Amino acid sequence: MESSVSFKNINRIAIPAIIAGIAEPLISLTDIAVIGNIEKNSVEALAAAGIVGSFLSAIIWIVAQTKTAISAIVSQHLGANRIHAVKTLIPQAIYFNFAFSLVIYATTAFFAESIFSAYNAEGLILKYSEDYYQIRALGYPLTLVTFAIFGVFRGLQNTLWAMKCSLAGAAVNVGLDFLLVYGIDGLIPAMHLKGAAYASLAAQGTMLVMALWFFFKKTPFHLKLSLNINPRLKGLLLMAANLFVRTAALNFAIYLANAYATDYGKNYIAAQSILMNIWLFFSFFIDGYANAGNAIGGKLLGARDYRNLWELSKKISKYAVLIAFILMAICGLFYNQIGLVFNKDVAVLAIFSSVFWIVLLMQPVNAIAFMFDGIFKGLGEAKYLRNLLLVATFLGFTPALLISDYFGLKLYGIWIAFFVWMLIRSAGLVIKFRRKYLQKEV
């Protein structure tokens, strides 16, 4: 019987997860690239797309933590051969996500102007941000239900279904981006930024329809809602709540970075939008191995197989760091060409190129942090992840950003602060894992 931590088994989960993961930021990167090359007000449109994209990511990451909680609980019960115990839990968790998404929409869509004013957006950037968000926010229910279903897939040790859904969504988004943003003379009017928003909405709908098909056809679960609350729902929501707080702290750092960049001027926030979306792309890419750690780690914990859990951490660390170095090498080779994909403004490109090396340098550190993040989520260690992120954000990132701003480092300071943030996260996770699980391995 093949080991659950073999190269083949890890990559059977990780590679589809990588492809599925990069499909999400690929949608945003496509929006950024297409919008950044429109003929009129491209810098303002790019800045608006970056601000809204950051806010959307913040909200979705926070409320989509039920996906991770679902994955952890399903994988642990799978390892313990007790999958029947969570059959009523799954529909309850999915309907919770749907109801929560409606609340998020109602509390943000009508206050878009105030929200993006808090990002220091004004004038045309503020107007573009508001228009773009009003459309993108309609996708909350689509995305959050899809993510909950993806959590079920991952818990069942299958990331292939999520990959197929994400690739289809990305293909729809790319095609409609060009069609709706630029238009076709005499047939389809150019919709500019709004066109990109509608393209993203169509992509989210495509992914949901496909996810539901796999859910009903391939899994042992259903969507029939039981009035008897599953006893594990409380634990799932508690785990999700800890991850909510953690992700809120994470996104506070991203918000603060974008607010400062916006305050430095439109060229800075445009460059920051490119840098942040590339950073997120890399993060989702490396996160494929974190997803493997999440799924396999939860299953091994359920089976109390601590020896293989330790082996899993070593192997996935090696694979994730290797991926990080490959990404660094590719971007180093095409360093001056990458920025041109997203914008042609000379001032924006100069700022981007001067800072991009910091984003590349931190990738191996990111790899370790994201990989152990995934394992800890699979183990249900949400409380520790929450506390570590709070420390990294408020005792690491924020002071580093404020000091850098005081000395006028601008975007250099923002990314130095992110580097400090990731160093604290990776160190804290490695130390905790060694202390808790190394002794159990023997």
Side-chain angles (χ1 to χ4, degrees), residues 89 120 237 244 369:
L89 174 67
N120 295 321
L237 294 180
F244 288 169

Side-chain angles (χ1 to χ4, degrees), residues 220-239:
F221 301 114
H222 54 75
L223 287 182
K224 183 180 178 181
L225 192 62
S226 172
L227 296 179
N228 296 319
I229 302 299
N230 188 289
R232 292 153 193 83
L233 183 62
K234 181 179 178 181
L236 184 147
L237 294 180
L238 183 61
M239 191 190 309

Side-chain angles (χ1 to χ4, degrees), residues 65-83:
Q65 292 309 308
T66 45
K67 173 181 75 172
T68 299
I70 290 169
S71 174
I73 288 176
V74 171
S75 63
Q76 288 171 23
H77 281 76
L78 182 68
N81 292 316
R82 298 190 69 251
I83 202 72

Side-chain angles (χ1 to χ4, degrees), residues 146-279:
T146 301
F147 278 6
I149 296 173
F150 283 2
V152 173
F153 296 165
R154 190 199 302 168
L156 293 173
Q157 315 293 289
N158 188 305
T159 53
L160 185 63
W161 302 332
M163 181 197 78
K164 291 179 179 179
C165 299
S166 297
L167 283 178
V172 168
N173 184 79
V174 171
L176 289 181
D177 253 345
F178 286 96
L179 193 65
L180 299 180
V181 172
Y182 299 133
I184 299 177
D185 287 340
L187 292 176
I188 300 174
M191 300 175 71
H192 301 294
L193 197 57
K194 288 184 178 180
Y198 284 121
S200 297
L201 205 58
Q204 291 165 320
T206 300
M207 287 190 282
L208 175 58
V209 170
M210 289 187 65
L212 286 169
W213 188 89
F214 283 112
F215 180 83
F216 288 122
K217 294 289 186 180
K218 303 290 186 178
T219 79
F221 301 114
H222 54 75
L223 287 182
K224 183 180 178 181
L225 192 62
S226 172
L227 296 179
N228 296 319
I229 302 299
N230 188 289
R232 292 153 193 83
L233 183 62
K234 181 179 178 181
L236 184 147
L237 294 180
L238 183 61
M239 191 190 309
N242 280 319
L243 293 172
F244 288 169
V245 175
R246 171 190 177 274
T247 312
L250 183 153
N251 285 292
F252 173 78
I254 295 176
Y255 156 74
L256 207 59
N258 283 310
Y260 271 77
T262 304
D263 200 42
Y264 297 146
K266 68 178 185 179
N267 290 332
Y268 285 93
I269 183 55
Q272 171 67 8
S273 296
I274 300 172
L275 291 164
M276 179 55 69
N277 276 281
I278 291 175
W279 188 83

